[in-house]
Amino acid sequence: MKFAVLDFETTGTQSVGEIIQVGLAIIEEDQSISRVYGSYVKPGKPIPPFITGLTGITDSDVQDAPELEEMMMELVPLLDDVVLVAHNASFDFQFLQNALDRCGYLPFQGRILDTIDFLKICFPSLTTYQLGAVSSYFGIKHERPHQADSDALATALILLKCLEELYSLPLLTVQRLSELFTENDGDLGWYFDGLLREREMETFQPEGELSFYRQLALKVGDWNELTPPRADSEENPLDPISFADYMAEVTRRLQDSLPHYESREAQEIMFGEVMTALEEDKHLLIEAGTGTGKSLGYLLPAIYQSVRTEQKVMVSTHTINLQDQLRERDIPLLTQVVPFPFKAAIFKGRGHYLCLRKFEHKINRRDFVSPREDLITAAQMIVWLTQTESGDDEELNMGNRGGDFWETVASDTDSCLGRACPWFRKCYYHRAKHEAGIADVVITNHSKLFADVKAGHQLLPSYDHLVIDEAHHLEDVAGKHLGMHMKHFTVVHTLSRLFKDSRNGQLPALRQQLQSAGSEQASEWSVIIDRIHNDLITVKETWDILSEKLFSLLPERSDSAAGEAGQLVLRLLPGKKPKNWDELASLESGMISTLSDVLRTGERMLNEMRDQEGQSSSDSLVTDISGLFKDLAAIRDQVRFFMGLNDEGVVYWLEANGNYRSKSLQLYAVPVNVSSQLKELFFDKKKSIVLTSATLSVDKSFQFMIDNLGLNEAAEEGRLMTVQLPSPFHYREQALLVIPRDFPSVKGSVGDANFVDTLVQSLAEAAVTTKGRMMVLFTSYRMLRQVYDPLKEVLASQEITVLGQGIEGGSRSKLIRRFQDNAASVLLGTSSFWEGVDIPGEALTCLAIVRLPFQPPNHPLAEAKSELLQAQKKNPFMKLSVPQAVIRFKQGFGRLVRTAQDRGIVIVYDTRVIESYYGKYFLYSLPGPKMEHMLTDQMVPRIAEWLEEGGVS
């Protein structure tokens, strides 16, 4: 097989662009690259500046280049009898066909393969398929990205990497891949068919350390073979050893394995305070700013405590990101430096683990919704099974539709066969659960912590000591889990998995199996399934009408302060139901009673099937359908609870998006105050809970957190320690905070013309001075949009790119990556960019905060909390709004200085920090940067001067 790897650089899209450069790399049958052909092509129009910026190709490069016809005379002979390959092939192929057509050649009739498909299948855990990033991941020299010959060569080398990977897979995996693509008559099917034939001829087959089970090759072994970390030694390795001696040994080993390791005062204090809390059974609130090294600050004492007392310590994070960071970075380091064997296990929510039974069932039945994408996802997973031991979805980079696919193969309680499952010993979820059972330290997340409490402590191993990282989120997460949150699509999705239409879905599949059984009982059951089908259609129709009617209660105009673009919000008050509520309530009761009938009839039928021997082929289906019925029962209870509107301690509200209308409807019911539940469920029950975050104090006091988390009683009894660690950075030298004191102010979430013009002008001048490298934080999405276009226009002439959250498309992490890769850029972000964004070094030199991050006071939860405080004769603004905003403000400020070498500037455009009586709480809560206020037009010269002093140019 001879490959020709093609790449075009063009002036635009398939429909309107012209070719300006071509690159072609030829791969011979022995997999050597025999030649790379490249040529500029003279287009019929000037090259747009954007394309020159991307490719570096200018009009002068192409003015003496061959015309398209001339280039095609050289290119066409090279395409004879080859398999054409490209990165994102549809783009280059379209240009090729147009060029062939324009120059009078016949269309290309050969096979076409796409390296993106190969990368997805061969390397399912790659985080990006962008050519430059993949090249650097494989260590391929790609000297001139976006130049056609360089791109073609890089793509050819990537293809060879993929082929090498395919030849190293076990034969069984290649057979499964070939089988997967057989019915798909495309070129991928043809390729895998050929690969299989070639591989079957080989006498020696690679197997690696894989196990082969039920026609799948797996890296994972049986989890019951995993043993506790110190199973072979009788003695406790910490018996005579004090915490100080243990830490001295760990520090010595840290210095050996990390040449730059130096002990930090703040971290040393943290080691001691966390240890004291764990040992003396106290709770601890400990604020540890950026650069403290807080993960080690709590993990090292946690390991000591759990191994010495032989009791588990649970660690909980807010984000899966931090959980993965602990797994990939901190745990491997600790395994090297702790002087005895220990085990730290990661345990996520059940939906993160693949269910092998469901996956096997899905690929055997070819149960695919969108054939092309689902086939690629299934192929990715077949290869991933030879690489993963955790079965955790975070390891997979699935396409846009991958989430829907994952949902059908994820593990869940309701459809688990437990010990009766043929996959039980290989099961990823049970493996994770077993590992957590034998571990010293278990790392989970806040969501799972609360799910465990709601499930009567059935999910996590028992524990008395708990460390909560990112603790400033605890109250929010508690509200969501102790209350309810349901989307319109939750219902639709569950129903359509049971019944997409008369042929697709779990119930039609069961009906088909019954028909082929042909017994009398089978035909009775088929009749019941038809009846259930009709009832479920009624439920779906009623739910759609109910959603429409709930949506129509929402006020038409949205003030986007309440959230992102187009969000509509309405609070429903138990005492004051909307006027036509009775009509909605009767819809709801009709829907509930039909659902109850379905569940009664359905469960009875499934039980009869279970009792009857010999139904083995439908076992798997019966289990999954039973699980979906349990989901329906949960939905029924939630809808009933929400529509009841009868709990005074709960805030009920509706949210939807103006653009997607009732399809985007969400129902919320959240306890107004979770402090008493947190006290009861955690602080009274557990011996010691350590809460840490970079932002727990307001104006040097922890009172706000103590009140909101239910820690007052512990404080009165002397069971609560509070510590604010000194900052490891020299903020006076590293950060300058400037406030333009004559800056115009704003009412509401939208700026007037004067405010927007002044802001755009000032941001542009600052961005030119800092050469981009700037992040601007907004509190309202509408204001971000107001600034985006004019700022982009002003900065275009300076060759500074403007990236806007929600405007550019792409996820938050993709935007941050683009910002880091391109120094001359300005990133505009709202709510989710205020925290968790880590951009160390010079990539971020200037942070602009447009408005103080007050929560919109009209948000239902904020409103209800304010009413509660008023009833207690407290001032909601000072007790709730200001502390919440200060914590967010500190989070935002924390984006700037990430290492001891970082230097940067923060501009606060909101003059309330110096004019209002509460402004001082914001400024005093910061870790001591140099603060100056001045007139707006003095600001940029001062920034330039300050950057020069620090040698940042």
Side-chain angles (χ1 to χ4, degrees):
M1 212 181 293
K2 186 171 166 183
F3 297 105
V5 183
L6 179 67
D7 186 77
F8 287 126
E9 297 305 330
T10 63
T11 59
T13 58
Q14 282 117 330
S15 47
V16 295
E18 295 211 19
I19 296 171
I20 52 176
Q21 194 188 26
V22 60
L24 189 79
I26 303 287
I27 302 177
E28 299 294 341
E29 287 172 10
D30 64 356
Q31 305 212 337
S32 63
I33 297 175
S34 59
R35 71 172 288 189
V36 179
Y37 164 77
S39 170
Y40 285 125
V41 180
K42 188 174 188 173
K45 57 181 180 185
I47 298 174
F50 163 70
I51 297 291
T52 298
L54 185 71
T55 61
I57 302 173
T58 62
D59 286 326
S60 60
D61 289 330
V62 295
Q63 71 187 31
D64 299 326
E67 302 271 347
L68 183 69
E69 285 75 6
E70 233 177 300
M71 181 277 288
M72 291 299 282
M73 281 168 68
E74 293 181 359
L75 183 70
V76 171
L78 300 174
L79 299 179
D80 192 31
D81 203 24
V82 295
V83 175
L84 195 63
V85 178
H87 196 72
N88 189 9
S90 62
F91 178 85
D92 299 282
F93 179 61
Q94 197 79 43
F95 272 102
L96 175 66
Q97 295 294 43
N98 287 346
L100 287 166
D101 187 42
R102 273 171 61 183
C103 300
Y105 295 96
L106 288 170
F108 180 81
Q109 299 287 1
R111 302 276 182 183
I112 303 153
L113 297 172
D114 194 329
T115 37
I116 291 184
D117 292 342
F118 277 106
L119 283 168
K120 284 180 178 169
I121 296 169
C122 300
F123 302 100
S125 299
L126 274 181
T127 50
T128 168
Y129 302 117
Q130 194 255 339
L131 190 64
V134 175
S135 303
S136 63
Y137 173 79
F138 287 130
I140 292 170
K141 275 207 166 72
H142 182 198
E143 284 157 4
R144 303 187 320 284
H146 300 296
Q147 292 256 330
D149 52 341
S150 179
D151 280 358
L153 179 60
T155 306
L157 293 167
I158 284 169
L159 177 68
L160 291 174
K161 282 276 182 210
C162 294
L163 299 182
E164 194 182 314
E165 190 67 17
L166 289 171
Y167 282 91
S168 70
L169 289 172
L171 182 61
L172 179 61
T173 302
V174 176
Q175 284 167 336
R176 292 308 306 247
L177 289 171
S178 171
E179 190 183 297
L180 196 62
F181 288 108
T182 42
E183 289 178 29
N184 173 321
D185 53 3
D187 295 342
L188 262 180
W190 165 82
Y191 175 78
F192 278 107
D193 183 47
L195 176 71
L196 177 62
R197 282 207 294 267
E198 193 177 332
R199 288 288 308 273
E200 284 176 337
M201 311 278 283
E202 290 169 15
T203 44
F204 174 74
Q205 292 292 349
E207 285 189 2
E209 297 190 351
L210 299 175
S211 58
F212 299 91
Y213 184 67
R214 293 177 70 100
Q215 297 300 301
L216 286 170
L218 305 164
K219 182 168 187 188
V220 73
D222 289 7
W223 55 257
N224 55 354
E225 291 167 8
L226 294 172
T227 52
R230 296 169 299 283
D232 46 3
S233 89
E234 292 292 304
E235 285 138 33
N236 187 319
L238 285 171
D239 251 355
I241 297 174
S242 70
F243 182 62
D245 292 345
Y246 155 83
M247 283 309 301
E249 174 62 15
V250 167
T251 308
R252 193 182 62 68
R253 287 166 168 246
L254 272 168
Q255 283 158 344
D256 289 348
S257 56
L258 297 175
H260 303 298
Y261 181 79
E262 49 194 52
S263 68
R264 291 172 258 191
E265 182 202 2
Q267 195 181 43
E268 295 290 328
I269 299 171
M270 187 166 179
F271 291 143
E273 297 287 352
V274 172
M275 196 60 234
T276 305
L278 293 172
E279 245 173 353
E280 297 180 7
D281 289 351
K282 290 187 171 166
H283 302 318
L284 164 67
L285 279 168
I286 183 161
E287 183 173 80
T290 317
T292 309
K294 69 171 184 295
S295 313
L296 293 192
Y298 58 71
L299 284 171
L300 281 164
I303 292 165
Y304 179 83
Q305 167 73 14
S306 66
V307 173
R308 194 177 57 90
T309 61
E310 296 176 1
Q311 291 178 337
K312 251 177 238 320
V313 176
M314 190 66 62
V315 172
S316 177
T317 69
H318 172 56
T319 54
I320 297 278
N321 264 359
L322 179 58
Q323 215 175 348
D324 288 341
Q325 181 189 310
L326 294 177
R327 173 176 62 194
E328 285 153 29
R329 197 182 68 190
D330 299 317
I331 304 296
L333 172 67
L334 291 173
T335 309
Q336 288 173 8
V337 300
V338 169
F340 47 82
F342 75 95
K343 183 167 182 63
I346 303 282
F347 198 20
K348 297 184 179 179
R350 188 158 189 163
H352 285 286
Y353 300 98
L354 178 72
C355 168
L356 284 160
R357 176 185 66 77
K358 288 186 187 176
F359 181 63
E360 174 193 35
H361 191 62
K362 189 177 178 83
I363 56 175
N364 288 352
R365 280 200 21 236
R366 304 186 66 81
D367 176 13
F368 301 133
V369 184
S370 49
R372 171 153 173 84
E373 281 153 347
D374 281 4
L375 279 173
I376 299 271
T377 307
Q380 274 187 294
M381 287 191 186
I382 287 172
V383 174
W384 178 58
L385 293 179
T386 67
Q387 303 166 355
T388 182
E389 288 189 75
S390 71
D392 173 352
D393 67 339
E394 303 279 328
E395 294 178 0
L396 266 176
N397 179 359
M398 294 179 281
N400 303 338
R401 300 293 300 271
D404 294 346
F405 187 103
W406 180 264
E407 223 166 284
T408 63
V409 293
S411 174
D412 75 286
T413 319
D414 295 333
S415 64
C416 180
L417 292 173
R419 293 181 183 284
C421 178
W423 292 97
F424 182 63
R425 288 184 163 180
K426 304 262 185 239
C427 173
Y428 296 113
Y429 169 73
H430 282 99
R431 180 188 191 84
K433 189 170 182 172
H434 175 71
E435 286 195 64
I438 59 175
D440 302 300
V441 173
V442 179
I443 297 166
T444 187
N445 51 52
H446 299 355
S447 287
K448 181 131 184 135
L449 209 56
F450 286 104
D452 176 57
V453 167
K454 280 177 89 169
H457 304 288
Q458 299 295 303
L459 305 180
L460 292 171
S462 64
Y463 61 95
D464 283 318
H465 298 85
L466 168 64
V467 177
I468 295 178
D469 198 344
E470 302 177 295
H472 60 285
H473 284 292
L474 188 67
E475 187 194 1
D476 269 358
V477 179
K480 285 196 179 98
H481 280 267
L482 300 171
M484 67 147 270
H485 169 209
M486 194 173 101
K487 300 177 176 176
H488 169 82
F489 264 114
T490 314
V491 183
V492 177
H493 205 73
T494 310
L495 291 173
S496 69
R497 281 181 60 195
L498 278 165
F499 249 121
K500 194 157 176 71
D501 49 47
S502 57
R503 283 207 309 282
N504 296 307
Q506 304 283 43
L507 284 171
L510 181 59
R511 195 174 185 285
Q512 278 167 337
Q513 288 194 358
L514 291 172
Q515 282 171 330
S516 59
S519 67
E520 189 179 327
Q521 194 157 19
S523 63
E524 284 171 20
W525 287 334
S526 296
V527 173
I528 294 174
I529 289 177
D530 290 340
R531 201 166 75 232
I532 290 176
H533 179 199
N534 291 331
D535 284 348
L536 289 180
I537 289 175
T538 311
V539 169
K540 162 97 169 60
E541 286 166 355
T542 314
W543 174 242
D544 283 341
I545 298 168
L546 182 59
S547 298
E548 279 289 340
K549 291 203 178 295
L550 285 168
F551 178 80
S552 68
L553 298 173
L554 288 159
E556 267 307 316
R557 207 201 132 273
S558 74
D559 179 16
S560 63
E564 299 300 308
Q567 273 312 89
L568 309 168
V569 180
L570 172 73
R571 182 177 169 196
L572 297 169
L573 294 158
K576 292 191 204 146
K577 293 175 181 166
K579 55 178 181 300
N580 55 348
W581 193 254
D582 294 347
E583 186 190 339
L584 286 112
S586 74
L587 276 170
E588 172 248 352
S589 69
M591 174 176 150
I592 299 285
S593 72
T594 313
L595 256 181
S596 299
D597 285 348
V598 165
L599 294 171
R600 257 198 313 278
T601 318
E603 276 301 342
R604 193 180 317 122
M605 174 183 78
L606 295 180
N607 286 333
E608 287 171 11
M609 287 182 181
R610 283 194 195 97
D611 296 342
Q612 211 192 39
E613 289 305 312
Q615 276 293 333
S616 60
S617 66
S618 54
D619 268 1
S620 176
L621 269 174
V622 167
T623 307
D624 290 347
I625 292 169
S626 179
L628 287 166
F629 280 166
K630 285 185 181 139
D631 292 345
L632 279 183
I635 285 169
R636 175 192 61 188
D637 299 343
Q638 287 192 315
V639 172
R640 185 182 285 160
F641 173 68
F642 183 86
M643 296 293 292
L645 288 185
N646 50 16
D647 187 335
E648 292 288 345
V650 169
V651 196
Y652 300 88
W653 77 94
L654 298 169
E655 267 184 44
N657 185 300
N659 307 330
Y660 302 106
R661 308 195 60 82
S662 64
K663 301 254 181 300
S664 61
L665 190 72
Q666 304 190 57
L667 317 179
Y668 287 89
V670 174
V672 185
N673 182 356
V674 289
S675 62
S676 56
Q677 280 154 293
L678 285 173
K679 172 182 176 305
E680 206 174 296
L681 296 168
F682 289 102
F683 300 115
D684 291 353
K685 292 250 168 67
K686 305 295 173 195
K687 289 181 179 167
S688 162
I689 297 182
V690 173
L691 300 112
T692 183
S693 155
T695 51
L696 290 174
S697 69
V698 175
D699 192 19
K700 314 280 185 278
S701 150
F702 286 97
Q703 198 53 48
F704 176 66
M705 282 294 167
I706 293 173
D707 290 344
N708 282 15
L709 298 176
L711 278 161
N712 276 312
E713 196 174 293
E716 284 157 19
E717 292 168 357
R719 272 194 71 207
L720 177 67
M721 302 158 51
T722 58
V723 180
Q724 196 173 9
L725 294 174
S727 168
F729 300 148
H730 302 295
Y731 275 100
R732 278 195 74 71
E733 285 89 68
Q734 286 183 260
L736 170 69
L737 182 130
V738 286
I739 305 151
R741 59 171 176 261
D742 58 343
F743 207 76
S745 59
V746 177
K747 293 276 178 283
S749 64
V750 185
D752 57 31
N754 175 37
F755 176 83
V756 172
D757 292 347
T758 318
L759 179 61
V760 167
Q761 190 55 41
S762 175
L763 287 172
E765 288 170 8
V768 170
T769 310
T770 61
K771 302 189 176 68
R773 302 184 292 197
M774 175 177 192
M775 183 151 89
V776 187
L777 294 176
F778 292 84
T779 51
S780 110
Y781 185 72
R782 285 175 72 182
M783 199 183 284
L784 182 153
R785 289 205 75 114
Q786 283 181 298
V787 168
Y788 175 82
D789 285 325
L791 185 63
K792 195 173 180 116
E793 207 171 303
V794 181
L795 288 176
S797 59
Q798 303 288 331
E799 297 190 348
I800 293 176
T801 316
V802 177
L803 303 169
Q805 175 194 355
I807 301 174
E808 306 295 314
S811 63
R812 170 179 124 138
S813 51
K814 279 194 180 130
L815 265 185
I816 292 167
R817 209 168 36 239
R818 280 181 64 187
F819 175 68
Q820 279 175 293
D821 291 347
N822 176 8
S825 57
V826 175
L827 175 59
L828 313 182
T830 63
S831 46
S832 62
F833 281 79
W834 282 78
E835 61 177 280
V837 175
D838 189 7
I839 306 173
E842 286 198 359
L844 181 61
T845 300
C846 180
L847 177 78
I849 292 178
V850 176
R851 306 273 287 139
L852 294 177
F854 282 104
Q855 284 259 323
N858 55 354
H859 189 279
L861 197 53
E863 212 171 67
K865 286 179 186 244
S866 301
E867 289 159 12
L868 190 68
L869 287 165
Q870 272 164 335
Q872 297 165 352
K873 303 275 184 287
K874 291 175 181 165
N875 175 344
F877 184 69
M878 292 309 294
K879 281 279 182 213
L880 178 72
S881 305
V882 170
Q884 271 183 344
V886 167
I887 282 174
R888 268 189 95 54
F889 181 72
K890 286 169 70 173
Q891 280 288 344
F893 178 86
R895 297 312 101 217
L896 186 71
V897 176
R898 308 298 297 171
T899 70
Q901 285 70 46
D902 283 1
R903 261 178 74 91
I905 290 140
V906 177
I907 307 170
V908 179
Y909 283 107
D910 194 330
T911 51
R912 290 177 296 180
V913 288
I914 46 177
E915 288 167 355
S916 68
Y917 65 96
Y918 54 80
K920 60 175 188 272
Y921 294 111
F922 288 87
L923 298 178
Y924 290 167
S925 294
L926 293 177
K930 194 169 174 55
M931 298 186 201
E932 299 177 2
H933 54 84
M934 59 199 67
L935 297 172
T936 307
D937 55 9
Q938 296 169 335
M939 198 168 69
V940 170
R942 174 68 184 115
I943 290 175
E945 175 190 31
W946 190 82
L947 286 173
E948 271 168 32
E949 285 166 19
V952 178
S953 57

